[in-house]
Amino acid sequence: MKLPNYEEERLRTDKEVEYVYLNDEEYSNFLKDKKYYLKTYGCQMNVHDSEELAAHLENMGATRTEVLEDSDIAILNTCAVRENAHDKVFGYLGRCKHKKEQDKDFMICICGCMAQEESVVDEIKTKHPYVDIVFGTHNIHELPNLIVEHKNKQDIEVYSKEGDVYENVPYKRDSKISAWVNIMYGCDKFCTYCIVPYTRGKQRSRKSKDIMHEVEDLISKGYKEITLLGQNVNAYGKDMDCEVSFAELLEMVAKSGIERLRFVTSHPWDFTDEMIDVIAKYDNIMPYIHLPLQAGSSRILKLMGRKYTKEEYLELFNKIKERIPGCAITTDIIVGFPNESDEDFKETLDVVNTCKYDSAFTFIYSPRVGTPAAKMKDSISKEVKEARLQELNKLVNKYSNEKNQTYLNKVVKVLVTEKSQKGEGKVCGYTEDMKLVNVEAPIDTIGKIVDVLITDAKSFSLDGKLV
Ligand code: SAH
Ligand code: SF4
Ligand code: F3S
């Protein structure tokens, strides 16, 4: 197993990118009167990368459409974390191909984590020659050039090695209330099942001064909530001699006065007491932690390369619950890791019974080419894995539902972010501990933190009214 090597020297220069199109008329009008369609798969990292892609396209004059058939350029920002992500993208590509047959000027671009997979690039080259541009996670900033220089052939521009940390990146943010802020890129953990360290490269932390600069800019623009983003946020700084630790960074951002501060994702192994103290100390750091378990059996955790045992995880869990009253904890769990026995699986259920998570994302293990786990022989049948997932989901849902019931008739603070899809006269937003609430309230509550009386509790959301 490849372990992170924090001693190794990193090549980084923190480049400021100069976007030619901002000063150049040819660039800034290149997509004038054109429409783009942008589809995002995968995690928050991709969602935030799409905000960068949208900024580039709009700075070149394009406007967004939510209808593929109406667009002049389509961008699929892909995920590689599980096999079904791959199937979804190639399925969707069929629809793009159909459009291209009717409109030969229609431009199809594929980017994101799948584009970093050699096998996928080969598949696009041989079976999907109609795809115009393929670019990877390390060269998103080159999209304007790739578009301008594209000449009716397939352009593939993917770097296998991560490069600099770029500053001065433009974002067209989806929300004017809640913003993502990258604090690091990549991941050094190399969990044996996971493809992310290969598709996103080595961990590269942004300098704290650059992060603070972005945070202050967002506050001045009226943002109410910031979520610090990274695959492993609490390993922040370890790749640059811990200039600032994650706990220190969290405190710096909390002191900036942002109304709500969140972060995803924390790895249990990097979770320090200092972090817990800082979260407990600042009212604007939300009492919500996503703490991926992955498996309840220490034997499987070792095979996964997670670097903690079941007992260590539970000790951390209990410490957080004790020191941060009312802190909600959610998790990720994989079932069916190679040779996971009934006994191993039972230990996962035991941990769920102990932790009674607020909610959990659950997955069947999916072998990813190039990862160590993909080489492990596996004797467990698909049926057994599916049955385990079902049993796990039943238990997880039982606890989420029980937790949601405890909010009935209570008043909670909700940051209203948008109109609700649950009917007219309703808006929605999240509580401090990350429960989705649909609220009967006027539209002008959007962007405000309001007191809400919870009137109904469902499995995945709450209903309420203004008090
Ligand atoms: N950096 C985050 C997770 C990124 S991927 C973390 O460490 O928590 C999101 C989730 O996908 C993981 O937590 C894991 O539960 C799941 N996952 C990753 N690789 C997988 C695989 N090969 N098969 C099934 N699930 C996987
Ligand atoms: Fe993947 Fe997360 Fe492990 Fe990194 S820490 S290898 S992103 S599961
Ligand atoms: Fe998927 Fe890449 Fe995120 S593989 S989960 S989009 S980092």
Side-chain angles (χ1 to χ4, degrees):
M1 193 180 70
K2 221 164 155 185
L3 283 170
N5 176 4
Y6 295 127
E7 262 59 71
E8 199 175 310
E9 214 180 304
R10 298 288 154 83
L11 285 171
R12 48 172 287 184
T13 53
D14 300 317
K15 277 193 188 155
E16 292 272 325
V17 219
E18 291 254 353
Y19 290 100
V20 175
Y21 60 67
L22 297 176
N23 312 317
D24 185 307
E25 226 169 286
E26 190 203 343
Y27 269 77
S28 58
N29 286 320
F30 198 83
L31 296 178
K32 196 167 168 276
D33 303 325
K34 301 267 195 250
K35 289 190 186 145
Y36 72 93
Y37 174 81
L38 174 55
K39 194 170 176 69
T40 310
Y41 300 84
C43 68
Q44 292 98 337
M45 229 67 56
N46 261 15
V47 170
H48 190 38
D49 284 350
S50 281
E51 294 183 331
E52 181 182 345
L53 294 166
H56 292 313
L57 295 162
E58 295 193 15
N59 287 341
M60 294 173 80
T63 51
R64 187 163 188 156
T65 170
E66 298 305 324
V67 186
L68 175 76
E69 283 67 23
D70 290 346
S71 66
D72 303 284
I73 172 165
I75 308 223
L76 307 185
N77 189 8
T78 63
C79 168
V81 83
R82 285 170 290 274
E83 184 65 25
N84 60 0
H86 174 278
D87 299 346
K88 273 190 217 159
V89 171
F90 280 99
Y92 199 81
L93 210 47
R95 214 169 128 187
C96 297
K97 184 182 179 202
H98 183 71
K99 177 164 165 65
K100 181 112 185 175
E101 282 161 1
Q102 273 133 41
D103 171 8
K104 68 172 179 33
D105 293 330
F106 176 56
M107 201 186 259
I108 306 171
C109 310
I110 297 187
C111 63
C113 288
M114 259 172 63
Q116 292 294 144
E117 288 184 279
E118 233 176 277
S119 59
V120 170
V121 172
D122 287 345
E123 188 174 351
I124 295 172
K125 272 189 204 160
T126 51
K127 295 193 191 144
H128 306 277
Y130 55 89
V131 170
D132 293 279
I133 299 175
V134 182
F135 60 101
T137 57
H138 304 305
N139 51 340
I140 294 174
H141 59 282
E142 289 180 279
L143 177 65
N145 276 334
L146 290 170
I147 292 176
V148 171
E149 283 160 18
H150 178 66
K151 302 259 185 324
N152 291 326
K153 61 173 176 25
Q154 192 168 59
D155 284 319
I156 297 183
E157 191 78 23
V158 180
Y159 304 145
S160 60
K161 258 189 122 63
E162 65 285 339
D164 300 288
V165 168
Y166 290 100
E167 294 300 338
N168 193 26
V169 174
Y171 291 110
K172 165 86 178 132
R173 296 181 189 269
D174 295 334
S175 164
K176 290 191 162 37
I177 300 157
S178 183
W180 305 110
V181 172
N182 269 322
I183 64 166
M184 53 148 63
Y185 304 93
C187 178
D188 277 347
K189 282 285 183 286
F190 289 95
C191 302
T192 59
Y193 51 81
C194 183
I195 198 162
V196 172
Y198 308 91
T199 64
R200 295 259 164 189
K202 273 187 181 152
Q203 178 175 316
R204 287 102 66 212
S205 301
R206 282 176 77 194
K207 291 199 172 125
S208 58
K209 73 167 176 41
D210 293 325
I211 297 168
M212 290 312 295
H213 187 74
E214 187 174 347
V215 165
E216 277 149 21
D217 180 54
L218 290 165
I219 295 173
S220 76
K221 288 181 173 138
Y223 277 86
K224 295 285 189 299
E225 181 174 73
I226 281 175
T227 303
L228 304 180
L229 198 57
Q231 287 298 354
N232 209 344
V233 283
N234 49 348
Y236 173 79
K238 289 189 174 179
D239 52 299
M240 44 181 201
D241 294 335
C242 290
E243 172 223 8
V244 168
S245 72
F246 182 63
E248 286 164 336
L249 180 74
L250 206 52
E251 184 156 27
M252 283 162 74
V253 181
K255 281 185 178 161
S256 72
I258 184 73
E259 288 194 52
R260 287 184 165 196
L261 174 57
R262 303 184 185 277
F263 52 91
V264 276
T265 297
S266 325
H267 191 296
W269 191 75
D270 291 300
F271 220 102
T272 60
D273 283 2
E274 290 74 33
M275 268 179 76
I276 301 180
D277 292 341
V278 171
I279 300 166
K281 183 170 160 195
Y282 289 90
D283 285 345
N284 59 344
I285 304 181
M286 296 296 103
Y288 162 73
I289 295 168
H290 187 61
L291 195 68
L293 167 71
Q294 310 301 2
S297 139
S298 296
R299 184 184 82 86
I300 296 289
L301 284 170
K302 188 153 193 231
L303 290 171
M304 288 178 160
R306 289 292 287 181
K307 309 210 282 180
Y308 52 83
T309 60
K310 170 189 180 177
E311 290 72 26
E312 284 163 343
Y313 181 93
L314 289 174
E315 195 188 318
L316 173 65
F317 183 96
N318 291 330
K319 203 161 31 173
I320 294 172
K321 286 278 184 184
E322 251 164 51
R323 294 218 230 147
I324 311 171
C327 186
I329 300 186
T330 58
T331 202
D332 290 349
I333 299 172
I334 297 174
V335 300
F337 189 79
N339 299 315
E340 177 191 62
S341 67
D342 281 342
E343 196 46 48
D344 292 321
F345 176 61
K346 210 183 139 285
E347 289 199 65
T348 296
L349 298 178
D350 286 347
V351 176
V352 173
N353 277 318
T354 306
C355 296
K356 304 181 172 58
Y357 292 105
D358 282 71
S359 69
F361 295 107
T362 57
F363 312 100
I364 291 185
Y365 165 72
S366 171
R368 306 314 288 131
V369 175
T371 62
K375 295 188 195 93
M376 297 178 192
K377 277 221 166 66
D378 184 17
S379 57
I380 314 291
S381 72
K382 193 165 161 259
E383 288 69 32
V384 168
K385 291 176 184 178
E386 274 165 7
R388 283 182 188 161
L389 183 70
Q390 274 195 18
E391 192 177 348
L392 176 64
N393 284 345
K394 227 168 110 190
L395 196 63
V396 161
N397 292 343
K398 179 180 107 142
Y399 289 120
S400 318
N401 200 22
E402 275 178 24
K403 175 73 186 264
N404 278 357
Q405 298 304 321
T406 66
Y407 290 81
L408 265 182
N409 303 317
K410 285 198 180 137
V411 174
V412 291
K413 292 204 176 302
V414 175
L415 169 58
V416 180
T417 52
E418 59 197 308
K419 268 176 147 175
S420 164
Q421 293 178 350
K422 300 283 169 186
E424 282 297 302
K426 284 189 179 178
V427 293
C428 65
Y430 286 87
T431 61
E432 296 192 330
D433 59 356
M434 206 65 181
K435 301 285 172 220
L436 175 63
V437 191
N438 290 296
V439 194
E440 274 172 49
I443 289 285
D444 66 6
T445 52
I446 292 178
K448 294 184 184 140
I449 295 175
V450 293
D451 286 324
V452 174
L453 175 72
I454 299 302
T455 51
D456 196 9
K458 314 216 165 75
S459 289
F460 302 106
S461 65
L462 304 170
D463 285 345
K465 58 182 185 193
L466 284 184
V467 290

